[in-house]
Amino acid sequence: MMDLPENIKIGLEVHLQVNAGKLFCSCESEGRDTGISFTRILHASSGELGGSDVSTLYEASRERIFKYIASDNSCLVEYDEEPPHKINRNALNTALMMASSFGSQILDRVVVMRKVVIDGSNTSGFQRTSLIGFGGEVRRGNYKSKISTICLEEDACRKVEESGNMVTYSLDRLGIPLIEISTEPDITSPEGAIEVAREIGERLISLGLLRKGADSIRQDVNFSMGNGRVEIKGVSKLNAIGEILQKEIDRQIALEKAIEIWNARGGTEPISFVVNNSIMNGTNSKMILNATEAGKDVLLARLKNGRKLLKSGEFRIGREIADALKQIGIKGILHYDELPAYGITLEEKQRISDFLELGEHDSFLILLEEESNAQYVSNVINNRIEKLLSGDFSETRAAMEDNTTRFMRPLSGSSRMYPETDIPVIEITRDMIENAIKNAPLPLEISVKEISTKYGISPQDASTLIWNNTISIFKEMAERGDPKMVCRILVQKLPELERKKNMKIDNKTLRNVFDFCLSNNFGRYSVEMALELISDGVPQEKILLQEKLRPVDESELTELMKSIEEKRNISAISKEIVSITGRPVDSSLIAKVLGNQSRSKHLNNT
Amino acid sequence: MMDLPENIKIGLEVHLQVNAGKLFCSCESEGRDTGISFTRILHASSGELGGSDVSTLYEASRERIFKYIASDNSCLVEYDEEPPHKINRNALNTALMMASSFGSQILDRVVVMRKVVIDGSNTSGFQRTSLIGFGGEVRRGNYKSKISTICLEEDACRKVEESGNMVTYSLDRLGIPLIEISTEPDITSPEGAIEVAREIGERLISLGLLRKGADSIRQDVNFSMGNGRVEIKGVSKLNAIGEILQKEIDRQIALEKAIEIWNARGGTEPISFVVNNSIMNGTNSKMILNATEAGKDVLLARLKNGRKLLKSGEFRIGREIADALKQIGIKGILHYDELPAYGITLEEKQRISDFLELGEHDSFLILLEEESNAQYVSNVINNRIEKLLSGDFSETRAAMEDNTTRFMRPLSGSSRMYPETDIPVIEITRDMIENAIKNAPLPLEISVKEISTKYGISPQDASTLIWNNTISIFKEMAERGDPKMVCRILVQKLPELERKKNMKIDNKTLRNVFDFCLSNNFGRYSVEMALELISDGVPQEKILLQEKLRPVDESELTELMKSIEEKRNISAISKEIVSITGRPVDSSLIAKVLGNQSRSKHLNNT
Amino acid sequence: MPKGKEISEGSTIEFTLKEKNLKGKVLGIKDSYLNIKLENGYNIMVIPDEIKKIINEDKINKIEREYSRESGQGTNISVISTGGTIVSKVDYSTGAVFPSLDISEITSRFKYIEKSYHVRSIPFLNILSENMEPEQWLQLAHKIVEESKRSEGIVISHGTDTMTYTASALAFLLKELSVPIIMVGSQRSSDRPSTDSYLNMEAAINFAASDFGEVGISMHSSISDDKIALLRGVRARKMHSSRRDAFRSIGENPVGYFQNGLVNISGPYRKKSASTSIFEKIEKRAGILYFHPGMETEDLSEYLEKKLGVVIMGTGLGHISTKFIDVIKEYTDSGRMAVMTTQCIYGTTDLDVYSTGRLLSRAGVTWAGNILPEAALTKMMVIMGNYPDFEWQKRMVTDMRGEILQREEIGVF
Amino acid sequence: MPKGKEISEGSTIEFTLKEKNLKGKVLGIKDSYLNIKLENGYNIMVIPDEIKKIINEDKINKIEREYSRESGQGTNISVISTGGTIVSKVDYSTGAVFPSLDISEITSRFKYIEKSYHVRSIPFLNILSENMEPEQWLQLAHKIVEESKRSEGIVISHGTDTMTYTASALAFLLKELSVPIIMVGSQRSSDRPSTDSYLNMEAAINFAASDFGEVGISMHSSISDDKIALLRGVRARKMHSSRRDAFRSIGENPVGYFQNGLVNISGPYRKKSASTSIFEKIEKRAGILYFHPGMETEDLSEYLEKKLGVVIMGTGLGHISTKFIDVIKEYTDSGRMAVMTTQCIYGTTDLDVYSTGRLLSRAGVTWAGNILPEAALTKMMVIMGNYPDFEWQKRMVTDMRGEILQREEIGVF
């Protein structure tokens, strides 16, 4: 399908949210805003300044305030105001099952680490992560990939808003357990990546422990084609992998060509901005006028040998530079290739070229900023260009909505990590490993078959239960006697209700409803009525009551039927009974009573 | 001057606020709102229901919520959230001096009592009061009165607002020490009462310890003319005593006559209300229509033998009843004598009379209230009438703005009082008594003479200092060297400033200003400048600074003078120097420098 | 006082003091002073010798009043009195406070209570709460079992000083509860018109008629007379010596409130069970030790000798000087229990974070999250009294009655 | 581990674990585990025997870094380090925290500090604050006198656990202060990007340049990184074990705040004096006793035997069981001092209100309003060390350093 270079290598980091409460506290997976918030500043750790991690330093150079909105599923642990609690054993065991599922080796001791991340996505400034195992293999169809590591980590905050130097996050997602399964870079096609990622996700789905939600599976893609490793973050839709990789390949090929030209011209020299506010005197460019009015200076720099490489044909080195600048909050940059434009005339372009004494192949940059920032900005630009010209494209990039990628930060190194001293080393006992092996998830199709057979439901229904993430509720409730009833409600009634009322009923509520009805020996009609009321927004405590959900019994029904005039349509009768009593009624019971009554009526009539 | 009955007896209770901080905590006498408030309900103490005090029970029958606004001179003690602290020794010693001043006997031990007051004016529901001494005599001119008791007590809250069943108080006044001097009822004329009260007040003024403020002297007047003692509360203006007493005498004489008539007719019977809403059908009386619309009933009662006594000629028993009802929040009462009126026609009046089967001398009452309140209201009315008819007029009355008095509550009895167990008995030592005798205040004219002589100021100035309550500051500061300067500022400059800027400068601020200037050897001009700035609203900490208040010295002045062109008017020069330097300057120094300069100029010119 | 004269309490006398004739009632003799209430209501304290002349003496009998022990009709509520000021009366002559059992004095203030509840007053103890001892907690628990058979709710009036200790002890002693147990006290005694006792009691009676199957505390939630909080006994603490709103839930919000005559229980709580049952024993050899700089090793070792268990109030996350490690280790090695709590009051202990914590943990110190010192002490007494020693530690760190909070949110400190 | 192989710390090794070839750096051996940092940054703990084969070993020397003890120019500020986490560094391989004296690490974060202050770092102690002893308070006071001669302000970095004890002790030991003494700590250690240490220290340096002539504490006023409170040492208390805003002023508002680079001291405070002078002694035989139900008379009597003074944390307004009265009386009769405080923490003691209080008062118990237990202990130690015994009680009840508040307003609880 695609025209791929031969030397591409793809590796995956698949992140799966485990639906088992938070990893280091007792908060639940789901939550809502409390309306309370607080702000923080993150400092690059002093201790790291020596052998420090480049990506950390990078973030530290940006002065930002982080605002956190407390959700009702966050506590002092998420606020970074209390030490982490002991690790969530369910989450840990799930990670071990997943490791077993791929035949990975499980470590005998788990050391929780802190991975420094100071973009504010973790209140502490680090993400807790632990290596659980390594090795093993994922296979699916003709594709396969070796697993390099399996880690258990905390999910980060959910970004809500970014404006000025303030970034706002919600704490609802922070601390949700993530199983990270990383493969070796041994995949050679986007299709292979998709299939491997799908297989990894399906295993946790098969366990029924994947959290519901749009971002419950996220993958990062490692990609290289000979110019260093690019880590593409935040690929949430599997099917997009192909297009993303194609665009990244195009980008790298164009870059390779541009660099070849640039180097052929003799390479470049570090740029250096000079102020020249008067050069734009008399300009009609709103961009320039607005900037100077805001007290900014016109800074000019010659970019040696850069002409027609920044934006021309397939070349887009201008964007590479702009992306890097965006990360430090600098937006106002213009360059030779894109002019005349933005109200800057050809004549003005020429004036600048003359002023900077441009050579034949030279380009220039215009930066609209205060002069005091010039040094800092030029450093960022020079570093960026130097790295590109050296042919090292390795970096962390973010996947965008349009499936292009954008520069995010340098690659993270190992010095981002140091031990989480608040949590002692966790011993993985023989029992835990045996349990993991015993309960390791099977490939989804096998699970489907097993469930279908065991509970006497169709494979389609079993599959739906698994994909809808209601399989664990199904198993639990089916064991209490009536798998078909439970299945019917979960597979038909529930999605129908959710669609009709456009609202999701969470698993905890579902579990409560089933538990209450089954404990009271109430059947299908009671469960359905309860779910309907819940989807209408009635609070649980007003619904889960015996006097409310107890089905109308035969003698009550017989009595009630007397007052009903039209007795032809059972469904209509049922509706009327429900509206009179406010309680559920079994249609078959209506049919039965109807039968009896018509018989007795008949008797009377004759 | 007045036509007085022969048997009148007048006694006084003079309350003097002592300017020495609060009595049972460390808060200051003056304060402002903090914006924080809280609400309370007061309960008639259960223990009192047996041998309980009538006035307390009376208040308890009214269901009210009290709202207290915390002032910055209130603390947990005023909020009734902390036990009282030890008694304010300055206030106690002042009370002892006052007792000595009148030759009263001082008790060897002071027992602090709680006097129950549940109108909300005390957050605790009681006022702390202690008997300090008894006996002694007040003399002034031809008048004199024996002192019965001298007490030291806490002042109550200041009422801010009353609306519905909510009464709002400020805590700023609560807890200010009050010396209460009660005389025997041995005064026989209003003039005598005025002179005695004046003499009592002047003694504390003479000590310089009377708090500044409109209500710093308040007197209650005990009055009797043979029908029992009437206690008139809250006579704040001395000169009003005459008119108040005259009006009270008129009231009692009219009452006596009305009662005589009523008793001659055979007295009365307890009233009893009956509902008759239909009797007013078709009425045009807005008062009736509004009431019935608000769900109230028309309650009617016959008042035997009461005709033409409730409101007719000089008779006003209707008002006596209305006043009593007002205290329990009942306003809608009408009676025979005042009809036809309020839209009620003569015909309707007759209809009611017929319905109630009125006899020749009978009257009736119309009450617009819910029927359920009828019993309670009739009890209050019957008690009131029964007491009046028995010829017992004794009660506590409030002095009104127009110098009439209004029923307030029954007289307080001794069972309102029980010991304040939070405060141990205070021993009055021999030293304390000796100190009190030594420092006992002299009559004001003697004090004036003494001060005048001692500090070399005029008797008028001494008198002004005393009346303006700046005498204690004067004495303190005068001891530091320049009595005339201090006097001049306190007697002339200060009142002038206060008048001009329409604001009061409190004694604490005055003391700070003098203390700062005298400590730095800054003179009159510095003090005046500081006071001017303060009266302009500049905060103290920005004024009391050396670089701000240090007078311009001769060498500085000489230099400055050079730049001033017009050198004729010293006052104009002074203003200019002040405006240039922002610092005070001594006019005489200007004159001196001016002299020098003109001489030297003269020299140069010749 | 004139020789030969004997003045008896309660009599009315006319006498001369400082040359003035006075009349008053003799209230009593205290510390060799005669306490006399004058006619104007003021009390004076006089040394008998200061009275020059007694003009007249009238002996008067004291009036005894009757009181009712039951009142109203409706839901049965028992009010067990342990002697707090809340069901007390004041002798208005001396100001002395004495306990009363006249339940109608409280219930009659709220007419609807008379109509909805049948309240019985049960005299149980008459002590100052600082004199409460562990044996009495056990007796009280037995009394509760007895009363639970005939009432739908139990209110316990109690002095505020040790109320949270008793509340915690009862919470642990009572395995299951068929009735709410609501402790109530007052910070302003009932002799004051401004007393908080009536509102606290009104709320308590209403809380006691709910389905709250725990031991709660009913006290003012602010200094205003408008909203009464229901606090979980094991998480409550008296945090102010004198304010009406002294009682605070530590680390969680109050379970519920009473306002405008209505109970609203919004927090999570255990519902009442079918029956009430108790633990039968309590181990007294346990205590609380407050660590501070300058504490000596012998202070600790001598104290521990006498105790089977100790609750240490350490600093921060649960630390004490490392010089004590050996003593502690020896103590726990001998099968006794040391539980770490924090003198910060708020927040959790965590012996995994700092090196001292890890040393203490290794020396056998037990830590149980954010359990309060008072709850830790009473829980320890109940556990040690009723479980074999090898279970102690496990029980201690496991939440039994909501005493160990799993989550602390932003607004509760 | 293959026999005969010795692995040295800091070396890089290639090895086989669970059939996989791995490469990592040996961080150390802890509790018989090898602690290895893998190339991907994760640490693993391995029993040497689990390593089947060592492929390669590279020994690498540790890098020592230089640090500066002085930095910036302007107002002279001394930072005396006692070993709190605030001026600490983390060893990123092991996570262990060790004290650092590199003052530029802090000051370089705030460029204006480098321009306005000359900050000197003074190593003094290197201990965990729970190990602080009274002798060290005295040494610290002497150090302060010395530093006050060359600096205009002194910052003391200190562990938060016993910070208020040290702050109180210094406040009483230092008779007059010519420089502000600002204690500073952190609740999140400096190895975290989210540490509170930099802001607390930034504020402390600024507070230290003011005219505040007392011992203050500079810590977060909320969990947000925006406003740092200056708390009066003798009225501050660590009220939460883990939150950034753990330190609270008890019964009063903070004296001042630092926000947006500006110091605003709004509360009343003592201005700095012309010179700094100290008391020369401290009496160690004093301690804090926490009363609780179930406390035995011997618990008290044996404890008192060893002490010249005791601070009792009683209940409510300052009560303990009346069974202790005799022991207390005997104690105070022998010339020793018992001071009552309240375990409520907030609010005053008052032994005039209840009968137990009056009995205690008569038994010689001293009460000093709302003094905090920590302040009472340190004040007692200073008073007993420096004044004749007949003055102790009078000194104890007289406010010396703002430790006894005369007024408590509505908003401070």
Side-chain angles (χ1 to χ4, degrees), chain B residues 182-202:
Chain B
S182 305
T183 76
E184 300 284 350
D186 56 4
I187 306 172
T188 52
S189 70
E191 296 78 21
I194 291 170
E195 291 299 306
V196 167
R198 189 162 280 155
E199 184 61 31
I200 291 172
E202 284 183 2

Short mmCIF file of all heavy atoms in Angstrom, two decimals, chain B residues 182-202:
data_model
loop_
_atom_site.label_atom_id
_atom_site.label_comp_id
_atom_site.label_asym_id
_atom_site.label_seq_id
_atom_site.Cartn_x
_atom_site.Cartn_y
_atom_site.Cartn_z
N SER B 182 -25.78 54.26 92.25
CA SER B 182 -27.22 54.36 92.50
C SER B 182 -27.44 55.16 93.76
O SER B 182 -26.78 54.94 94.78
CB SER B 182 -27.83 52.98 92.70
OG SER B 182 -27.52 52.16 91.62
N THR B 183 -28.40 56.08 93.65
CA THR B 183 -28.71 56.86 94.85
C THR B 183 -29.99 56.32 95.47
O THR B 183 -30.77 55.62 94.83
CB THR B 183 -28.89 58.35 94.53
OG1 THR B 183 -30.16 58.53 93.90
CG2 THR B 183 -27.79 58.85 93.59
N GLU B 184 -30.18 56.72 96.72
CA GLU B 184 -31.46 56.41 97.37
C GLU B 184 -32.54 57.27 96.70
O GLU B 184 -32.24 58.30 96.10
CB GLU B 184 -31.38 56.80 98.87
CG GLU B 184 -30.29 56.08 99.66
CD GLU B 184 -30.65 54.64 99.99
OE1 GLU B 184 -31.82 54.25 99.76
OE2 GLU B 184 -29.75 53.91 100.45
N PRO B 185 -33.81 56.88 96.82
CA PRO B 185 -34.88 57.69 96.21
C PRO B 185 -35.20 58.88 97.10
O PRO B 185 -36.33 59.05 97.59
CB PRO B 185 -36.05 56.71 96.13
CG PRO B 185 -35.80 55.73 97.23
CD PRO B 185 -34.32 55.65 97.43
N ASP B 186 -34.16 59.68 97.35
CA ASP B 186 -34.34 60.79 98.31
C ASP B 186 -34.30 62.14 97.62
O ASP B 186 -34.19 63.17 98.26
CB ASP B 186 -33.27 60.70 99.42
CG ASP B 186 -31.85 60.70 98.85
OD1 ASP B 186 -31.68 60.84 97.60
OD2 ASP B 186 -30.90 60.55 99.64
N ILE B 187 -34.39 62.14 96.31
CA ILE B 187 -34.40 63.41 95.58
C ILE B 187 -35.86 63.77 95.33
O ILE B 187 -36.68 62.91 95.03
CB ILE B 187 -33.64 63.28 94.25
CG1 ILE B 187 -32.22 62.72 94.51
CG2 ILE B 187 -33.58 64.62 93.51
CD1 ILE B 187 -31.45 62.37 93.27
N THR B 188 -36.17 65.04 95.47
CA THR B 188 -37.59 65.41 95.43
C THR B 188 -37.93 66.31 94.26
O THR B 188 -39.07 66.73 94.12
CB THR B 188 -37.99 66.10 96.75
OG1 THR B 188 -37.07 67.17 96.99
CG2 THR B 188 -37.94 65.14 97.92
N SER B 189 -36.94 66.63 93.44
CA SER B 189 -37.27 67.46 92.30
C SER B 189 -36.41 67.08 91.12
O SER B 189 -35.28 66.60 91.28
CB SER B 189 -36.99 68.94 92.63
OG SER B 189 -35.59 69.15 92.72
N PRO B 190 -36.89 67.31 89.92
CA PRO B 190 -36.07 67.06 88.73
C PRO B 190 -34.77 67.86 88.76
O PRO B 190 -33.72 67.33 88.40
CB PRO B 190 -36.97 67.52 87.58
CG PRO B 190 -38.35 67.35 88.10
CD PRO B 190 -38.27 67.68 89.56
N GLU B 191 -34.81 69.10 89.25
CA GLU B 191 -33.57 69.89 89.32
C GLU B 191 -32.55 69.18 90.19
O GLU B 191 -31.36 69.10 89.86
CB GLU B 191 -33.81 71.29 89.90
CG GLU B 191 -34.69 72.18 89.06
CD GLU B 191 -36.17 71.84 89.23
OE1 GLU B 191 -36.52 71.22 90.26
OE2 GLU B 191 -36.97 72.13 88.32
N GLY B 192 -33.02 68.66 91.30
CA GLY B 192 -32.12 67.94 92.20
C GLY B 192 -31.50 66.75 91.51
O GLY B 192 -30.29 66.50 91.61
N ALA B 193 -32.33 66.03 90.74
CA ALA B 193 -31.82 64.86 90.03
C ALA B 193 -30.73 65.27 89.05
O ALA B 193 -29.68 64.64 88.95
CB ALA B 193 -32.96 64.15 89.30
N ILE B 194 -30.98 66.37 88.33
CA ILE B 194 -30.01 66.83 87.33
C ILE B 194 -28.68 67.20 88.00
O ILE B 194 -27.60 66.78 87.56
CB ILE B 194 -30.56 68.04 86.54
CG1 ILE B 194 -31.72 67.58 85.67
CG2 ILE B 194 -29.48 68.71 85.72
CD1 ILE B 194 -32.51 68.70 85.02
N GLU B 195 -28.77 67.92 89.10
CA GLU B 195 -27.54 68.38 89.76
C GLU B 195 -26.76 67.20 90.34
O GLU B 195 -25.54 67.14 90.24
CB GLU B 195 -27.88 69.41 90.86
CG GLU B 195 -28.37 70.74 90.30
CD GLU B 195 -27.32 71.42 89.41
OE1 GLU B 195 -26.17 71.61 89.85
OE2 GLU B 195 -27.66 71.74 88.23
N VAL B 196 -27.48 66.27 90.94
CA VAL B 196 -26.81 65.09 91.51
C VAL B 196 -26.14 64.27 90.41
O VAL B 196 -24.98 63.87 90.52
CB VAL B 196 -27.82 64.23 92.31
CG1 VAL B 196 -27.23 62.86 92.62
CG2 VAL B 196 -28.22 64.95 93.60
N ALA B 197 -26.88 64.07 89.34
CA ALA B 197 -26.31 63.30 88.22
C ALA B 197 -25.08 63.99 87.68
O ALA B 197 -24.06 63.36 87.39
CB ALA B 197 -27.35 63.13 87.13
N ARG B 198 -25.16 65.32 87.56
CA ARG B 198 -24.04 66.09 87.01
C ARG B 198 -22.81 65.95 87.90
O ARG B 198 -21.70 65.72 87.40
CB ARG B 198 -24.47 67.56 86.87
CG ARG B 198 -23.49 68.42 86.13
CD ARG B 198 -24.15 69.70 85.64
NE ARG B 198 -24.93 69.49 84.44
CZ ARG B 198 -25.96 70.25 84.06
NH1 ARG B 198 -26.35 71.27 84.83
NH2 ARG B 198 -26.60 70.02 82.93
N GLU B 199 -23.03 66.00 89.17
CA GLU B 199 -21.90 65.91 90.09
C GLU B 199 -21.22 64.54 89.98
O GLU B 199 -19.99 64.44 89.97
CB GLU B 199 -22.35 66.15 91.54
CG GLU B 199 -21.22 66.16 92.56
CD GLU B 199 -20.18 67.26 92.32
OE1 GLU B 199 -20.54 68.32 91.79
OE2 GLU B 199 -18.98 67.03 92.63
N ILE B 200 -22.03 63.51 89.85
CA ILE B 200 -21.46 62.15 89.73
C ILE B 200 -20.62 62.05 88.47
O ILE B 200 -19.47 61.58 88.50
CB ILE B 200 -22.59 61.09 89.73
CG1 ILE B 200 -23.24 61.03 91.13
CG2 ILE B 200 -22.05 59.71 89.34
CD1 ILE B 200 -24.47 60.15 91.20
N GLY B 201 -21.18 62.52 87.36
CA GLY B 201 -20.45 62.45 86.10
C GLY B 201 -19.14 63.23 86.14
O GLY B 201 -18.10 62.76 85.68
N GLU B 202 -19.21 64.41 86.74
CA GLU B 202 -18.02 65.27 86.73
C GLU B 202 -16.84 64.69 87.49
O GLU B 202 -15.69 65.00 87.20
CB GLU B 202 -18.37 66.66 87.30
CG GLU B 202 -19.14 67.51 86.29
CD GLU B 202 -19.42 68.91 86.81
OE1 GLU B 202 -18.97 69.24 87.94
OE2 GLU B 202 -20.09 69.68 86.10
#
